[in-house]
Amino acid sequence: MPALSQPIRWCDPRHGKYMACCMPYRGDVVPKDVSAAIATIKTTRIILFVDWCPTGFKPPTVVPGGDLAKVQRAFCTLSNTPAIAKTWACLEHKFDLTYAKTAFVH
């Protein structure tokens, strides 16, 4: 069993379909390259999207003059998938075991 310090690592994105995915980026990134990467992901079916969401990806929004720290490149992925449910169930089970022992209950 993995350590409890990083429970999100237990999430396997291959289980379940994605409902939406947003990929905000900033810095020295060419939008054409991002569009090409998204097209590759869609055509190779690396990740699966639900049938009722034809695009799957939300276009990123650029905020001109933002007050974020200056970096050469930054990228983040925000996604909505039921694959995280197994992780939460495991954490809930561990909590229930701890609570049943009345540990940390004052």
XYZ file of all heavy atoms in Angstrom:
823
model
N 0.852 -1.177 0.000
C 0.000 0.000 0.000
C 0.893 1.233 0.000
O 1.837 1.318 0.767
C -0.906 -0.033 1.230
C -1.640 1.242 1.497
S -3.363 1.452 0.999
C -4.005 -0.075 0.525
N 0.616 2.227 -0.851
C 1.419 3.440 -0.901
C 1.315 4.230 0.402
O 0.376 4.086 1.167
C 0.814 4.238 -2.060
C -0.042 3.290 -2.791
C -0.407 2.194 -1.853
N 2.293 5.083 0.607
C 2.295 5.923 1.807
C 1.135 6.912 1.750
O 0.715 7.354 0.683
C 3.617 6.677 1.898
N 0.614 7.258 2.913
C -0.514 8.187 2.975
C -0.123 9.620 2.683
O -0.972 10.476 2.547
C -1.172 8.123 4.358
C -2.043 6.907 4.591
C -2.514 6.884 6.037
C -3.220 6.898 3.661
N 1.174 9.911 2.604
C 1.603 11.286 2.395
C 1.253 11.798 0.999
O 1.165 13.002 0.790
C 3.099 11.421 2.640
O 3.804 10.611 1.723
N 1.061 10.923 0.036
C 0.751 11.336 -1.327
C -0.396 10.505 -1.887
O -0.224 9.719 -2.816
C 1.980 11.214 -2.210
C 3.106 12.117 -1.772
C 4.316 11.975 -2.663
O 4.397 11.098 -3.496
N 5.261 12.862 -2.487
N -1.604 10.676 -1.348
C -2.713 9.815 -1.772
C -3.158 10.040 -3.204
O -3.704 9.139 -3.818
C -3.829 10.175 -0.792
C -3.489 11.530 -0.313
C -1.993 11.608 -0.312
N -2.937 11.216 -3.774
C -3.383 11.468 -5.143
C -2.591 10.614 -6.123
O -3.068 10.300 -7.206
C -3.266 12.971 -5.475
C -4.130 13.782 -4.505
C -3.672 13.259 -6.895
C -5.600 13.391 -4.477
N -1.420 10.189 -5.768
C -0.637 9.320 -6.648
C -1.315 7.973 -6.854
O -0.990 7.246 -7.774
C 0.755 9.102 -6.084
C 1.603 10.333 -6.148
C 2.960 10.035 -5.622
N 3.932 10.564 -6.556
C 5.196 10.271 -6.539
N 5.666 9.423 -5.670
N 6.013 10.803 -7.412
N -2.240 7.603 -5.983
C -2.956 6.341 -6.138
C -3.932 6.395 -7.296
O -4.380 5.372 -7.773
C -3.735 5.988 -4.893
C -2.952 5.910 -3.638
C -1.588 5.824 -3.498
C -3.472 5.916 -2.325
N -1.253 5.780 -2.186
C -2.387 5.834 -1.436
C -4.747 5.986 -1.810
C -2.555 5.823 -0.075
C -4.905 5.965 -0.452
C -3.821 5.876 0.418
N -4.309 7.565 -7.718
C -5.307 7.724 -8.780
C -4.729 7.245 -10.114
O -3.695 7.711 -10.554
C -5.726 9.193 -8.881
S -6.918 9.481 -10.177
N -5.424 6.320 -10.743
C -5.003 5.819 -12.043
C -5.952 6.380 -13.100
O -7.111 5.954 -13.183
C -5.023 4.299 -12.056
C -4.404 3.708 -13.313
O -4.029 4.487 -14.220
O -4.292 2.479 -13.392
N -5.504 7.342 -13.909
C -6.402 7.977 -14.875
C -6.906 7.047 -15.974
O -7.796 7.411 -16.726
C -5.564 9.106 -15.462
C -4.164 8.753 -15.173
C -4.170 7.893 -13.937
N -6.375 5.846 -16.053
C -6.876 4.903 -17.060
C -8.211 4.299 -16.660
O -8.880 3.680 -17.468
C -5.846 3.806 -17.290
C -4.551 4.330 -17.909
C -3.521 3.269 -17.943
N -3.160 2.952 -16.561
C -2.140 2.191 -16.205
N -1.396 1.634 -17.113
N -1.870 1.966 -14.934
N -8.588 4.474 -15.377
C -9.878 3.968 -14.908
C -10.897 5.097 -14.966
O -10.787 6.075 -14.243
C -9.764 3.438 -13.470
C -8.840 2.283 -13.360
N -7.683 2.332 -12.624
C -8.883 1.055 -13.918
C -7.059 1.181 -12.722
N -7.765 0.386 -13.500
N -11.862 4.968 -15.813
C -12.874 6.004 -15.954
C -12.592 6.903 -17.142
O -11.482 6.970 -17.649
N -13.632 7.585 -17.568
C -13.503 8.506 -18.698
C -13.458 9.939 -18.188
O -14.055 10.269 -17.171
C -14.692 8.349 -19.645
C -14.712 7.028 -20.366
C -15.854 6.987 -21.360
C -15.838 5.691 -22.149
N -16.859 5.688 -23.193
N -12.763 10.778 -18.901
C -12.674 12.184 -18.538
C -13.934 12.912 -18.977
O -14.471 12.668 -20.055
C -11.464 12.834 -19.207
C -10.166 12.495 -18.533
C -9.520 11.300 -18.799
C -9.601 13.364 -17.621
C -8.331 10.984 -18.182
C -8.408 13.059 -16.996
C -7.781 11.866 -17.283
O -6.608 11.555 -16.666
N -14.396 13.818 -18.136
C -15.550 14.645 -18.485
C -15.103 15.978 -19.062
O -15.754 16.511 -19.941
C -16.417 14.859 -17.255
C -17.110 13.581 -16.827
S -18.003 13.807 -15.326
C -17.116 12.706 -14.277
N -14.006 16.498 -18.566
C -13.472 17.765 -19.074
C -12.004 17.863 -18.691
O -11.558 17.260 -17.727
C -14.242 18.941 -18.501
N -11.280 18.631 -19.460
C -9.869 18.836 -19.205
C -9.508 20.253 -19.613
O -9.810 20.676 -20.729
C -9.046 17.825 -19.990
S -7.292 17.914 -19.642
N -8.885 20.991 -18.712
C -8.436 22.350 -19.004
C -6.925 22.370 -18.812
O -6.407 21.843 -17.836
C -9.120 23.343 -18.060
S -8.583 25.042 -18.338
N -6.220 22.960 -19.760
C -4.770 22.975 -19.712
C -4.249 24.410 -19.812
O -3.792 24.835 -20.865
C -4.211 22.090 -20.819
C -4.631 20.649 -20.629
S -4.502 19.575 -22.043
C -2.825 19.556 -22.450
N -4.321 25.170 -18.721
C -3.799 26.537 -18.765
C -2.270 26.546 -18.798
O -1.630 25.727 -18.148
C -4.329 27.168 -17.478
C -4.621 26.039 -16.580
C -4.930 24.855 -17.448
N -1.722 27.456 -19.554
C -0.277 27.561 -19.679
C 0.092 29.030 -19.814
O -0.739 29.875 -20.118
C 0.222 26.774 -20.894
C -0.360 27.258 -22.193
C 0.278 28.241 -22.940
C -1.549 26.741 -22.674
C -0.262 28.700 -24.129
C -2.102 27.187 -23.855
C -1.450 28.165 -24.580
O -1.983 28.617 -25.751
N 1.359 29.319 -19.575
C 1.856 30.673 -19.760
C 3.350 30.606 -20.003
O 3.992 29.590 -19.793
C 1.553 31.539 -18.543
C 2.228 31.098 -17.279
C 1.726 31.906 -16.099
N 2.310 31.414 -14.871
C 3.254 32.046 -14.192
N 3.713 33.209 -14.615
N 3.735 31.529 -13.088
N 3.886 31.690 -20.472
C 5.319 31.760 -20.726
C 5.648 31.473 -22.180
O 4.861 31.739 -23.092
N 6.813 30.904 -22.387
C 7.343 30.650 -23.723
C 6.717 29.389 -24.318
O 7.378 28.371 -24.521
C 8.863 30.513 -23.638
C 9.509 30.375 -25.003
O 8.889 30.784 -25.997
O 10.629 29.848 -25.073
N 5.404 29.459 -24.579
C 4.664 28.333 -25.143
C 3.907 28.836 -26.362
O 3.212 29.842 -26.294
C 3.672 27.742 -24.118
C 2.909 26.587 -24.716
C 4.394 27.306 -22.864
N 4.055 28.122 -27.451
C 3.375 28.507 -28.684
C 1.998 27.831 -28.709
O 1.910 26.606 -28.576
C 4.206 28.077 -29.914
C 3.522 28.485 -31.211
C 5.607 28.648 -29.836
N 0.912 28.610 -28.851
C -0.429 28.010 -28.868
C -0.598 26.920 -29.931
O -1.332 25.959 -29.726
C -1.347 29.199 -29.141
C -0.583 30.383 -28.644
C 0.864 30.066 -28.907
N 0.097 27.053 -31.038
C 0.009 26.045 -32.100
C 0.527 24.698 -31.596
O -0.035 23.650 -31.912
C 0.824 26.511 -33.308
C 0.754 25.582 -34.494
C 1.542 26.131 -35.658
C 1.519 25.164 -36.815
N 2.320 25.646 -37.938
N 1.591 24.716 -30.788
C 2.127 23.474 -30.228
C 1.142 22.836 -29.253
O 0.999 21.619 -29.202
C 3.459 23.728 -29.520
C 4.570 24.115 -30.481
O 4.418 23.865 -31.696
O 5.578 24.679 -30.010
N 0.468 23.667 -28.467
C -0.523 23.150 -27.526
C -1.681 22.514 -28.285
O -2.133 21.419 -27.959
C -1.029 24.273 -26.592
C -2.161 23.784 -25.715
C 0.105 24.812 -25.745
N -2.156 23.183 -29.328
C -3.244 22.632 -30.144
C -2.836 21.314 -30.795
O -3.634 20.376 -30.867
C -3.662 23.643 -31.212
O -4.152 24.811 -30.616
N -1.594 21.229 -31.249
C -1.101 19.992 -31.864
C -1.031 18.868 -30.839
O -1.381 17.716 -31.142
C 0.273 20.228 -32.484
N -0.606 19.174 -29.616
C -0.535 18.155 -28.570
C -1.926 17.646 -28.210
O -2.136 16.441 -28.045
C 0.164 18.716 -27.335
N -2.890 18.547 -28.121
C -4.267 18.151 -27.816
C -4.831 17.296 -28.941
O -5.497 16.287 -28.695
C -5.144 19.394 -27.557
C -4.733 20.043 -26.241
C -6.622 19.027 -27.538
C -5.389 21.375 -25.975
N -4.557 17.672 -30.184
C -5.023 16.880 -31.322
C -4.423 15.482 -31.293
O -5.111 14.493 -31.593
C -4.672 17.590 -32.626
N -3.156 15.361 -30.923
C -2.508 14.053 -30.826
C -3.166 13.196 -29.752
O -3.422 12.009 -29.950
C -1.010 14.220 -30.512
O -0.407 14.996 -31.552
C -0.318 12.878 -30.405
N -3.460 13.806 -28.603
C -4.113 13.068 -27.517
C -5.481 12.572 -27.967
O -5.864 11.435 -27.687
C -4.236 13.961 -26.261
C -2.858 14.190 -25.655
C -5.162 13.336 -25.239
C -2.838 15.240 -24.565
N -6.216 13.418 -28.683
C -7.553 13.023 -29.134
C -7.509 11.905 -30.177
O -8.314 10.977 -30.134
C -8.283 14.227 -29.719
C -8.785 15.194 -28.685
C -9.530 16.313 -29.390
C -10.167 17.260 -28.440
N -10.916 18.306 -29.133
N -6.586 11.988 -31.115
C -6.563 10.997 -32.199
C -5.990 9.660 -31.754
O -6.424 8.623 -32.244
C -5.762 11.514 -33.407
O -4.442 11.854 -32.987
C -6.434 12.721 -34.032
N -5.036 9.665 -30.829
C -4.453 8.403 -30.389
C -5.266 7.754 -29.281
O -4.970 6.625 -28.892
C -3.006 8.598 -29.890
O -3.000 9.567 -28.847
C -2.105 9.029 -31.012
N -6.268 8.462 -28.764
C -7.166 7.942 -27.729
C -6.388 7.507 -26.483
O -6.674 6.470 -25.874
C -8.013 6.789 -28.247
C -8.742 7.038 -29.555
C -9.982 7.811 -29.394
N -10.993 7.040 -28.673
C -12.095 7.573 -28.233
N -12.345 8.837 -28.433
N -12.973 6.859 -27.572
N -5.359 8.284 -26.125
C -4.587 7.996 -24.920
C -5.488 8.066 -23.695
O -5.425 7.214 -22.816
C -3.405 8.973 -24.786
C -2.413 8.748 -25.922
C -2.708 8.829 -23.446
C -1.341 9.795 -26.013
N -6.301 9.096 -23.637
C -7.295 9.202 -22.580
C -8.667 9.237 -23.229
O -8.827 9.727 -24.339
C -7.069 10.440 -21.681
C -7.086 11.725 -22.494
C -5.784 10.317 -20.900
C -6.988 12.976 -21.653
N -9.651 8.690 -22.550
C -10.992 8.593 -23.108
C -11.898 9.650 -22.493
O -11.835 9.914 -21.294
C -11.572 7.209 -22.841
C -10.786 6.044 -23.426
C -11.369 4.729 -22.953
C -10.778 6.122 -24.936
N -12.732 10.241 -23.329
C -13.700 11.232 -22.873
C -15.103 10.645 -22.963
O -15.367 9.737 -23.747
C -13.617 12.502 -23.724
C -12.408 13.327 -23.435
C -11.254 13.176 -24.174
C -12.420 14.249 -22.413
C -10.134 13.929 -23.902
C -11.306 15.009 -22.121
C -10.157 14.849 -22.873
N -15.999 11.193 -22.154
C -17.390 10.751 -22.207
C -17.970 11.093 -23.570
O -17.510 12.000 -24.256
C -18.218 11.403 -21.077
C -17.791 10.890 -19.727
C -18.133 12.909 -21.132
N -19.000 10.353 -23.965
C -19.573 10.527 -25.294
C -20.296 11.858 -25.460
O -20.334 12.418 -26.547
C -20.549 9.392 -25.598
C -19.840 8.043 -25.604
O -18.637 8.013 -25.912
O -20.492 7.037 -25.304
N -20.873 12.374 -24.375
C -21.668 13.583 -24.488
C -20.842 14.864 -24.481
O -21.374 15.953 -24.550
C -22.732 13.635 -23.388
C -22.229 13.345 -22.014
C -22.269 12.141 -21.374
C -21.616 14.247 -21.106
N -21.716 12.243 -20.126
C -21.309 13.534 -19.936
C -21.287 15.594 -21.153
C -20.690 14.120 -18.836
C -20.679 16.169 -20.054
C -20.396 15.436 -18.917
N -19.525 14.759 -24.399
C -18.647 15.936 -24.439
C -17.719 15.786 -25.644
O -16.647 15.196 -25.521
C -17.857 16.054 -23.148
S -16.882 17.548 -23.037
N -18.113 16.278 -26.793
C -17.354 16.007 -28.013
C -15.950 16.608 -28.028
O -15.036 16.015 -28.574
C -18.216 16.613 -29.121
C -19.057 17.623 -28.441
C -19.254 17.144 -27.037
N -15.766 17.783 -27.443
C -14.446 18.415 -27.500
C -13.546 17.933 -26.375
O -12.381 17.633 -26.593
C -14.565 19.939 -27.434
O -15.256 20.291 -26.234
C -15.302 20.486 -28.628
N -14.061 17.895 -25.154
C -13.286 17.409 -24.027
C -12.349 18.432 -23.420
O -12.169 18.475 -22.227
N -11.744 19.260 -24.227
C -10.780 20.235 -23.739
C -11.382 21.631 -23.710
O -12.086 22.035 -24.631
C -9.532 20.254 -24.621
C -8.658 19.057 -24.428
C -8.846 17.926 -25.190
C -7.666 19.061 -23.470
C -8.042 16.817 -25.011
C -6.861 17.955 -23.281
C -7.043 16.829 -24.051
N -11.080 22.353 -22.654
C -11.499 23.744 -22.541
C -10.335 24.617 -22.991
O -9.198 24.380 -22.594
C -11.845 24.102 -21.087
C -12.836 23.164 -20.457
C -14.207 23.405 -20.980
C -15.184 22.511 -20.221
N -16.401 22.288 -20.880
N -10.600 25.621 -23.812
C -9.500 26.478 -24.256
C -8.962 27.312 -23.096
O -9.730 27.804 -22.279
C -10.137 27.370 -25.316
C -11.595 27.334 -25.030
C -11.875 26.021 -24.390
N -7.637 27.444 -22.989
C -7.065 28.239 -21.910
C -7.310 29.730 -22.110
O -7.481 30.194 -23.233
C -5.577 27.917 -21.977
C -5.355 27.496 -23.385
C -6.633 26.852 -23.843
N -7.338 30.455 -21.023
C -7.529 31.894 -21.065
C -6.234 32.578 -20.675
O -5.613 32.226 -19.678
C -8.639 32.321 -20.083
O -9.817 31.607 -20.408
C -8.893 33.797 -20.156
N -5.828 33.548 -21.471
C -4.620 34.305 -21.185
C -5.023 35.586 -20.478
O -5.909 36.306 -20.934
C -3.847 34.633 -22.488
C -2.622 35.464 -22.188
C -3.475 33.350 -23.198
N -4.381 35.857 -19.346
C -4.653 37.074 -18.597
C -3.485 38.027 -18.818
O -2.402 37.825 -18.263
C -4.824 36.782 -17.093
C -5.077 38.058 -16.325
C -5.917 35.768 -16.874
N -3.668 39.064 -19.651
C -2.558 39.989 -19.891
C -2.273 40.826 -18.645
O -3.184 41.244 -17.936
C -3.058 40.865 -21.040
C -4.539 40.735 -21.021
C -4.851 39.404 -20.413
N -0.993 41.022 -18.375
C -0.602 41.842 -17.242
C -0.873 41.198 -15.903
O -1.064 41.900 -14.903
N -0.923 39.862 -15.848
C -1.179 39.172 -14.590
C -0.034 39.375 -13.602
O 1.088 39.712 -13.979
N -0.302 39.188 -12.327
C 0.712 39.420 -11.304
C 1.394 38.133 -10.841
O 1.952 38.077 -9.756
C 0.089 40.136 -10.104
C -1.014 39.319 -9.454
O -1.450 38.321 -10.062
O -1.436 39.683 -8.347
N 1.387 37.108 -11.678
C 2.047 35.855 -11.333
C 3.554 36.003 -11.463
O 4.052 36.875 -12.175
C 1.559 34.730 -12.242
C 0.080 34.398 -12.134
C -0.319 33.413 -13.215
C -0.236 33.832 -10.763
N 4.286 35.163 -10.785
C 5.745 35.214 -10.827
C 6.244 34.972 -12.248
O 5.659 34.200 -13.010
C 6.329 34.165 -9.887
N 7.315 35.634 -12.590
C 7.898 35.488 -13.921
C 8.628 34.153 -14.027
O 9.523 33.859 -13.239
C 8.880 36.623 -14.211
C 8.262 38.000 -14.156
C 7.316 38.213 -15.301
C 6.755 39.628 -15.255
N 5.607 39.787 -16.104
N 8.196 33.341 -14.955
C 8.839 32.056 -15.214
C 8.979 31.896 -16.714
O 8.279 32.538 -17.497
C 8.031 30.868 -14.641
C 7.999 30.911 -13.127
C 6.642 30.826 -15.196
N 9.890 31.004 -17.105
C 10.068 30.769 -18.538
C 8.861 30.040 -19.120
O 8.353 30.403 -20.168
C 11.332 29.966 -18.790
C 11.637 29.789 -20.255
C 12.944 29.063 -20.486
O 13.592 28.604 -19.553
N 13.325 28.957 -21.733
N 8.385 29.010 -18.396
C 7.217 28.242 -18.824
C 6.482 27.701 -17.615
O 7.095 27.336 -16.627
C 7.632 27.035 -19.665
C 7.876 27.326 -21.077
C 8.156 26.057 -21.837
N 8.857 26.459 -23.035
C 9.748 25.753 -23.665
N 10.062 24.567 -23.224
N 10.319 26.201 -24.735
N 5.173 27.619 -17.745
C 4.366 27.003 -16.691
C 3.179 26.318 -17.358
O 2.614 26.826 -18.321
C 3.894 28.042 -15.688
N 2.819 25.155 -16.824
C 1.737 24.367 -17.395
C 1.011 23.645 -16.273
O 1.620 23.199 -15.313
C 2.305 23.356 -18.393
C 1.284 22.482 -19.013
C 0.535 22.931 -20.080
C 1.046 21.209 -18.531
C -0.420 22.124 -20.663
C 0.103 20.397 -19.097
C -0.635 20.858 -20.167
N -0.283 23.536 -16.389
C -1.079 22.863 -15.373
C -2.223 22.126 -16.068
O -2.719 22.577 -17.095
C -1.633 23.893 -14.394
S -2.681 23.192 -13.127
N -2.615 21.003 -15.529
C -3.759 20.282 -16.066
C -4.818 20.158 -14.988
O -4.535 19.686 -13.891
C -3.353 18.878 -16.538
O -2.369 19.003 -17.551
C -4.536 18.126 -17.097
N -6.011 20.602 -15.311
C -7.162 20.448 -14.430
C -8.141 19.540 -15.149
O -8.546 19.823 -16.275
C -7.812 21.811 -14.155
C -6.895 22.879 -13.571
C -7.590 24.225 -13.603
C -6.492 22.506 -12.180
N -8.511 18.447 -14.523
C -9.405 17.507 -15.201
C -10.453 16.974 -14.246
O -10.289 16.991 -13.036
C -8.604 16.362 -15.819
O -7.864 15.706 -14.833
N -11.520 16.485 -14.831
C -12.641 15.934 -14.084
C -12.851 14.497 -14.547
O -13.257 14.254 -15.675
C -13.887 16.783 -14.332
C -15.028 16.384 -13.449
O -14.921 15.480 -12.642
N -16.146 17.070 -13.612
N -12.545 13.553 -13.661
C -12.665 12.148 -14.004
C -13.112 11.356 -12.768
O -12.737 11.710 -11.649
C -11.327 11.577 -14.528
O -11.475 10.175 -14.755
C -10.187 11.816 -13.586
N -13.889 10.312 -12.943
C -14.293 9.497 -11.792
C -13.186 8.572 -11.285
O -13.378 7.850 -10.323
C -15.488 8.715 -12.316
C -15.273 8.636 -13.777
C -14.585 9.923 -14.157
N -12.016 8.596 -11.912
C -10.915 7.730 -11.495
C -10.451 8.043 -10.075
O -9.882 7.192 -9.404
C -9.745 7.871 -12.465
N -10.709 9.235 -9.598
C -10.292 9.633 -8.251
C -11.144 8.969 -7.174
O -10.761 8.932 -6.004
C -10.311 11.178 -8.129
C -9.549 11.652 -6.888
C -11.721 11.701 -8.089
C -8.084 11.590 -7.021
N -12.294 8.427 -7.549
C -13.213 7.832 -6.572
C -12.552 6.704 -5.774
O -12.773 6.572 -4.568
C -14.463 7.316 -7.270
N -11.737 5.880 -6.407
C -11.070 4.780 -5.717
C -10.107 5.316 -4.652
O -9.998 4.769 -3.561
C -10.324 3.905 -6.720
C -9.684 2.692 -6.108
C -9.039 1.820 -7.166
C -8.378 0.615 -6.524
N -7.690 -0.207 -7.507
N -9.427 6.409 -4.970
C -8.509 7.034 -4.014
C -9.261 7.530 -2.794
O -8.849 7.298 -1.653
C -7.753 8.187 -4.688
O -7.043 7.681 -5.814
C -6.783 8.838 -3.726
N -10.386 8.230 -3.021
C -11.173 8.743 -1.902
C -11.759 7.601 -1.070
O -11.836 7.694 0.154
C -12.285 9.668 -2.395
C -11.758 10.987 -2.846
C -11.808 11.492 -4.107
C -11.090 11.983 -2.059
N -11.209 12.728 -4.162
C -10.769 13.050 -2.903
C -10.722 12.059 -0.721
C -10.103 14.186 -2.458
C -10.056 13.198 -0.285
C -9.757 14.232 -1.140
N -12.161 6.518 -1.725
C -12.710 5.379 -0.990
C -11.640 4.759 -0.085
O -11.925 4.371 1.056
C -13.257 4.338 -1.958
N -10.419 4.672 -0.570
C -9.333 4.113 0.229
C -9.034 5.015 1.427
O -8.841 4.529 2.547
C -8.098 3.947 -0.641
S -6.734 3.144 0.213
N -9.009 6.326 1.202
C -8.778 7.258 2.305
C -9.908 7.191 3.330
O -9.664 7.245 4.541
C -8.640 8.682 1.768
C -7.319 8.999 1.090
C -7.376 10.376 0.448
C -6.179 8.915 2.065
N -11.134 7.064 2.846
C -12.276 6.965 3.751
C -12.181 5.699 4.608
O -12.438 5.722 5.820
C -13.582 6.963 2.962
C -14.802 6.846 3.829
C -16.074 6.698 3.014
O -16.009 6.334 1.833
O -17.136 6.936 3.600
N -11.774 4.606 3.996
C -11.624 3.352 4.723
C -10.562 3.485 5.821
O -10.760 3.053 6.956
C -11.266 2.219 3.762
C -10.995 0.914 4.430
N -11.984 0.171 5.038
C -9.842 0.238 4.606
C -11.454 -0.919 5.559
N -10.147 -0.899 5.302
N -9.418 4.096 5.476
C -8.354 4.293 6.464
C -8.847 5.178 7.611
O -8.533 4.925 8.778
C -7.129 4.929 5.800
C -6.475 4.050 4.783
C -5.210 3.519 5.339
C -4.495 2.718 4.264
N -3.718 1.681 4.850
N -9.595 6.216 7.280
C -10.136 7.096 8.315
C -11.092 6.324 9.221
O -11.042 6.456 10.448
C -10.849 8.291 7.701
C -11.535 9.144 8.721
C -10.826 10.061 9.475
C -12.903 9.015 8.946
C -11.460 10.843 10.428
C -13.545 9.787 9.897
C -12.812 10.704 10.641
N -11.969 5.522 8.617
C -12.932 4.743 9.402
C -12.220 3.786 10.363
O -12.651 3.615 11.509
C -13.875 3.969 8.495
C -14.859 4.875 7.774
O -15.031 6.038 8.219
O -15.440 4.429 6.769
N -11.135 3.164 9.909
C -10.371 2.271 10.783
C -9.761 3.042 11.953
O -9.788 2.588 13.098
C -9.272 1.563 9.995
C -9.724 0.522 8.968
C -8.529 -0.004 8.192
C -10.468 -0.608 9.647
N -9.216 4.201 11.655
C -8.617 5.026 12.705
C -9.679 5.515 13.675
O -9.484 5.494 14.885
C -7.876 6.223 12.081
O -6.919 5.732 11.148
C -7.161 7.049 13.133
N -10.808 5.949 13.153
C -11.879 6.463 13.997
C -12.485 5.356 14.872
O -12.881 5.594 16.007
C -12.955 7.116 13.139
C -13.942 7.936 13.933
C -13.605 9.195 14.390
C -15.200 7.432 14.237
C -14.493 9.948 15.133
C -16.104 8.170 14.979
C -15.743 9.435 15.416
O -16.619 10.176 16.155
N -12.546 4.147 14.337
C -13.088 3.030 15.101
C -12.237 2.716 16.320
O -12.745 2.244 17.340
C -13.205 1.783 14.215
N -10.956 3.003 16.254
C -10.063 2.816 17.385
C -10.127 4.012 18.337
O -9.414 4.037 19.334
C -8.632 2.642 16.909
C -8.391 1.393 16.111
C -6.957 1.340 15.651
C -6.708 0.123 14.792
N -5.327 0.084 14.303
N -10.957 4.985 18.019
C -11.090 6.251 18.731
C -9.751 6.960 18.897
O -9.502 7.634 19.888
C -11.775 6.069 20.118
O -10.969 5.234 20.931
C -13.182 5.513 19.968
N -8.914 6.761 17.922
C -7.641 7.473 17.931
C -7.886 8.940 17.560
O -8.686 9.235 16.683
C -6.695 6.840 16.915
N -7.216 9.813 18.200
C -7.282 11.250 17.961
C -8.659 11.834 18.235
O -9.004 12.871 17.718
C -6.842 11.604 16.536
C -5.520 11.018 16.174
C -5.430 9.974 15.263
C -4.349 11.481 16.754
C -4.213 9.427 14.933
C -3.134 10.938 16.438
C -3.049 9.910 15.521
N -9.483 11.154 18.999
C -10.789 11.685 19.358
C -10.675 12.211 20.770
O -10.385 11.479 21.706
C -11.892 10.601 19.262
C -13.234 11.158 19.703
C -11.977 10.059 17.856
N -10.916 13.487 20.957
C -10.765 14.108 22.283
C -12.101 14.610 22.778
O -12.912 15.067 22.094
C -9.789 15.275 22.228
C -8.437 14.854 21.762
N -7.527 14.231 22.575
C -7.844 14.930 20.544
C -6.409 13.987 21.894
N -6.586 14.391 20.655
